[in-house]
Amino acid sequence: TNMINDVMEAVHEVPRMLVDWEHHDLAEVRTHLSCFPSSRWPDGPDLVSYFDRKLREFGYEDAG
């Protein structure tokens, strides 16, 4: 696999979860984002850390 494929596998369900938020939560979003094996890719992003950092920047209290 390549890095783009791994990223897509991790994020492809997130937009649906955000649109149907009443049936999902932050833990579920983080679970999907954590499927990206950042340790496999040099300089690859840690999607959960990025997500949590953005939540904090926008003032969300439960940001990991």
Side-chain angles (χ1 to χ4, degrees):
T1 60
N2 64 37
M3 185 166 67
I4 299 299
N5 187 48
D6 285 350
V7 168
M8 291 306 298
E9 282 296 315
V11 302
H12 79 277
E13 287 294 324
V14 173
R16 181 188 59 78
M17 286 188 272
L18 297 176
V19 168
D20 190 24
W21 192 245
E22 64 200 37
H23 296 107
H24 304 281
D25 59 21
L26 288 176
E28 191 172 1
V29 172
R30 287 181 182 113
T31 297
H32 276 270
L33 295 176
S34 70
C35 290
F36 176 70
S38 58
S39 62
R40 178 190 290 177
W41 304 103
D43 300 320
D46 180 330
L47 297 178
V48 175
S49 292
Y50 180 81
F51 179 69
D52 288 340
R53 185 173 63 249
K54 287 298 177 183
L55 284 175
R56 282 190 302 276
E57 287 174 12
F58 286 103
Y60 192 76
E61 297 296 321
D62 179 33

